[in-house]
């Protein structure tokens, strides 16, 4: 006969497991999730709840002269089913209870309605001191669009501005996320890789970052449901360029997260339990399209799930073909632990003329032919803001709110003013020339006559000219 206490015991164990899991989940101090243009809350598959921006809230405020709400019920995701339209500069002001680094995620999905075709929008998105998007047209990219930024908010409020790029266009947004970043997400220093040397770079924490690529090397796509920071990690296969012999390894054991080391908020289990390894003394390289003229923050994730014993994994790291770290010993970096996460941060501004950034893992001279020659579990590439505080060209925040004259009448007025100025200047010069000539002739007319004139001969020069000047 079965023990009747077994079902109760199983339920208790399940409850304790769920309870321990809930305590391990990341709970940001500031967690502002906004469904724009909606009139009701939107719950996602990852259990996050987005509140409508039409409902008054002490945590945020929408300031807009004429906000417009649109919806498309045919869209399956509640996050992209509604949108907020702005025909004039508008702002969301978020109350920040814990100043510091925050993640900002902007969601766009350009659907069409009889009144607005969101694909034709052209606009800027900015904070009080950063240009996040400039002349942004969501139709340039396929499907729903997510743009993620990590910024430092030093005060108790954060302002996001949406500004149409001209009088004939509009701005829109479907959803906004603003939440506190984990303390260990943004490093204090990184390694700056230059063509001739590597040095420590200590300005990363003061810079803003835009996520360009988040790669699960050797693994499948990781969705927000399986990431503690609700991130998406995509497979690395389409970025792998080298023809070297590589192999994908997986790990079903427990990832050894340790205190004061890489946490699940930095990298989730589903990234660390897969890797691509190099089997021969060669290189494996990944290539990414980027824009020239910016510095890039590169984070490489390592977790030795391939070695059977310690101190058998050594390899070299290259950024854009330049040496970033030689003879890297992963066992030493993790204080002699296997399957323990470790990440390394680099900064570079060296991008070739074709706008490609490369990351490579190569074999070390310390490696034995029978060992794994190199490995990588995950990779993140982020753009750093430039010197004018922009992620999109030499376009500062102050330039967004300058309203140049547009259209035929504006151009006509500009040319009319310029023409009037030119005519006025020409007239002044012309009058001055006439006056100078008149003064010259007048001086000749009143000059002294000769005192001695030979009899029977007229005087030359001034006498004849004077007579002509007086009587003509």
């Amino acid at each position: 006969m079965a023990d009747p206490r077994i079902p109760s015991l199983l339920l208790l164990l399940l409850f304790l497991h769920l309870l321990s899991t809930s305590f391990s989940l990341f709970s940001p101090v500031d967690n502002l999730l906004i469904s724009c243009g909606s009139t009701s809350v939107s719950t996602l598959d990852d259990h996050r709840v987005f509140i409508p921006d039409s409902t008054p809230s002490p945590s945020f405020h929408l300031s807009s002269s004429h906000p417009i709400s649109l919806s498309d019920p045919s869209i399956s995701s509640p996050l992209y089913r509604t949108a907020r339209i702005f025909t004039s500069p508008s702002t969301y002001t978020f109350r920040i209870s814990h100043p510091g680094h925050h993640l900002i995620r902007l969601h766009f999905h350009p659907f069409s309605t009889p009144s607005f075709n969101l694909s034709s929008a052209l606009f800027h998105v900015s904070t009080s001191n950063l240009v996040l998007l400039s002349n942004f047209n969501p139709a340039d990219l396929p499907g729903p669009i997510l743009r993620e930024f990590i910024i430092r908010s030093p005060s108790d409020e954060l302002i996001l501005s949406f500004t149409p790029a001209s009088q004939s266009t509009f701005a829109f947004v479907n959803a906004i996320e603003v939440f506190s970043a984990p303390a260990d997400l943004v490093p204090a220093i990184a390694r700056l890789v230059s063509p001739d040397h590597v040095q420590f770079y200590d300005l990363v924490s003061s810079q803003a970052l835009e996520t360009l690529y988040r790669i699960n090397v050797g693994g499948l796509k990781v969705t927000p449901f399986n990431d503690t920071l609700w991130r998406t990690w995509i497979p690395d296969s389409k970025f792998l360029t080298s023809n070297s012999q590589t192999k994908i390894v997986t790990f079903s054991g427990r990832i050894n997260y340790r205190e004061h080391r890489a946490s699940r908020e930095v990298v989730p289990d589903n990234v660390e339990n897969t890797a691509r390894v190099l089997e021969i003394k060669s290189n494996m390289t990944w290539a990414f399209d980027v824009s020239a003229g910016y510095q890039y923050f590169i984070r490489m994730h390592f977790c030795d799930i391939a070695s059977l014993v310690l101190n058998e994994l050594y390899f070299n790291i290259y950024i854009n073909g330049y040496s970033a770290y030689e003879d890297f010993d992963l066992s030493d970096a993790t204080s002699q632990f296997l399957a323990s996460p470790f990440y390394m941060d680099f900064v570079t501004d060296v991008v070739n003329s074709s706008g490609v950034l490369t990351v490579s893992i190569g074999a070390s001279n310390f490696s034995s032919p029978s060992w794994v020659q190199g490995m990588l579990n995950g990779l993140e590439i982020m753009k750093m803001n430039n010197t004018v505080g922009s992620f999109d060209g030499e376009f500062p925040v102050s330039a967004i709110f300058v309203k140049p004259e547009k259209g035929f009448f504006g151009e006509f007025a500009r040319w009319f003013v310029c023409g009037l100025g030119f005519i006025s200047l020409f007239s002044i010069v012309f009058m001055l020339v006439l006056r100078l000539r008149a003064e010259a002739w007048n001086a000749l007319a009143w000059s002294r006559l000769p005192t001695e004139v030979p009899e029977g001969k007229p005087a030359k020069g001034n006498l004849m000219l004077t007579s002509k000047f007086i009587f003509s």
Side-chain angles (χ1 to χ4, degrees):
M1 182 175 178
D3 190 341
R5 294 174 298 175
I6 292 180
S8 299
L9 182 60
L10 290 176
L11 287 174
L12 178 61
L13 291 175
L14 178 61
F15 172 76
L16 291 175
H17 172 72
L18 293 175
L19 186 63
S20 64
T21 302
S22 65
F23 281 127
S24 66
L25 295 178
F26 175 62
S27 180
V29 178
D30 296 312
N31 191 23
L32 308 171
L33 310 177
I34 312 300
S35 179
C36 303
S38 178
T39 57
S40 60
V41 298
S42 300
T43 304
L44 305 188
D45 293 338
D46 57 19
H47 308 305
R48 289 184 299 159
V49 177
F50 284 68
I51 61 176
D53 65 351
S54 57
T55 303
S57 171
S59 59
F60 73 94
H61 173 70
L62 171 59
S63 176
S64 178
S65 59
H66 185 58
I68 302 170
S69 176
L70 290 186
S71 65
D72 185 351
S74 65
I75 298 176
S76 58
S77 172
L79 205 61
Y80 300 105
R81 197 175 294 155
T82 62
R84 179 66 67 186
I85 312 297
F86 308 107
T87 57
S88 61
S90 305
T91 61
Y92 286 93
T93 301
F94 298 93
R95 183 173 298 278
I96 302 300
S97 59
H98 191 273
H101 284 96
H102 284 70
L103 279 85
I104 297 177
R105 291 181 183 146
L106 306 173
H107 297 264
F108 306 97
H109 184 42
F111 59 79
S112 180
T113 69
S115 55
F116 283 93
N117 180 4
L118 302 188
S119 296
S120 64
L122 187 69
F123 55 96
H124 316 296
V125 182
S126 60
T127 67
S128 57
N129 61 343
L130 292 168
V131 176
L132 305 184
L133 301 172
S134 172
N135 291 309
F136 179 62
N137 177 226
D140 292 339
L141 300 171
I145 301 164
L146 169 63
R147 302 296 290 266
E148 180 186 277
F149 303 87
I150 303 176
I151 70 170
R152 186 174 179 274
S153 178
S155 65
D156 59 356
E157 69 176 22
L158 188 151
I159 298 175
L160 280 180
S161 299
F162 293 81
T163 308
S166 70
Q167 293 178 0
S168 61
T169 60
F170 59 92
F172 82 93
V173 63
N174 297 85
I176 302 173
E177 302 176 46
V178 177
F179 61 92
S180 303
D184 56 348
L185 188 67
V186 180
I189 60 173
R191 292 173 176 265
L192 178 63
V193 181
S194 301
D196 55 349
H197 67 280
V198 177
Q199 65 185 52
F200 286 109
Y201 182 93
D202 61 357
L203 298 178
V204 178
S205 60
S206 63
Q207 295 280 104
L209 303 171
E210 178 187 6
T211 303
L212 301 184
Y213 301 96
R214 187 169 279 130
I215 309 299
N216 184 16
V217 179
L220 301 175
K221 181 179 180 180
V222 177
T223 64
F225 185 84
N226 295 307
D227 183 280
T228 51
L229 286 188
W230 311 284
R231 295 165 294 193
T232 298
W233 303 71
I234 61 176
D236 72 317
S237 54
K238 72 176 183 178
F239 304 102
L240 190 66
T241 64
S242 60
N243 294 320
S244 299
Q245 185 176 343
T246 66
K247 181 178 70 173
I248 294 175
V249 296
T250 60
F251 181 68
S252 58
R254 177 178 174 272
I255 300 297
N256 189 14
Y257 292 95
R258 294 179 298 120
E259 190 175 4
H260 305 305
R261 301 283 179 167
S263 65
R264 283 184 173 87
E265 283 68 55
V266 173
V267 57
D269 289 25
N270 289 329
V271 172
E272 298 293 56
N273 59 23
T274 62
R276 188 179 294 275
V277 301
L278 185 65
E279 295 187 296
I280 60 174
K281 282 189 174 294
S282 181
N283 290 345
M284 52 182 177
T285 300
W286 297 263
F288 304 91
D289 292 330
V290 296
S291 300
Y294 293 88
Q295 289 186 315
Y296 290 89
F297 173 77
I298 302 164
R299 172 165 287 176
M300 306 178 72
H301 297 277
F302 306 101
C303 186
D304 192 352
I305 59 174
S307 300
L308 298 178
V309 296
L310 293 165
N311 302 112
E312 287 191 353
L313 180 58
Y314 298 87
F315 52 88
N316 299 327
I317 301 171
Y318 304 92
I319 306 294
N320 292 318
Y322 301 106
S323 177
Y325 203 110
E326 291 187 355
D327 306 319
F328 177 55
D329 181 358
L330 188 52
S331 296
D332 183 64
T334 58
S335 301
Q336 304 298 313
F337 282 90
L338 293 176
S340 181
F342 182 83
Y343 62 89
M344 194 177 300
D345 297 326
F346 303 92
V347 171
T348 185
D349 55 5
V350 180
V351 178
N352 62 30
S353 58
S354 59
V356 175
L357 187 153
T358 62
V359 176
S360 303
I361 299 293
S364 165
N365 292 329
F366 289 173
S367 296
S368 168
S370 60
W371 299 347
V372 171
Q373 303 298 305
M375 72 177 304
L376 184 63
N377 301 72
L379 180 62
E380 297 176 86
I381 297 177
M382 302 182 186
K383 180 192 287 187
M384 304 172 72
N385 65 274
N386 60 17
T387 55
V388 300
S390 175
F391 289 99
D392 199 357
E394 300 297 319
F395 192 77
V397 171
S398 58
I400 290 180
F401 301 102
V402 175
K403 298 181 178 179
E405 295 170 322
K406 301 290 182 180
F408 171 79
F409 292 105
E411 290 296 313
F412 176 80
R414 187 170 67 88
W415 282 106
F416 177 80
V417 171
C418 292
L420 185 62
F422 177 80
I423 293 173
S424 300
L425 180 61
F426 179 81
S427 300
I428 293 172
V429 173
F430 181 75
M431 294 300 293
L432 287 174
V433 170
L434 288 180
R435 181 174 180 178
L436 290 173
R437 289 187 63 184
E439 289 177 356
W441 285 115
N442 190 49
L444 291 173
W446 291 100
S447 61
R448 183 181 297 275
L449 294 175
T451 57
E452 294 183 1
V453 179
E455 186 177 353
K457 293 183 180 181
K460 296 182 180 180
N462 289 345
L463 180 60
M464 298 298 293
L465 288 174
T466 303
S467 300
K468 184 177 181 181
F469 178 79
I470 295 173
F471 296 105
S472 61

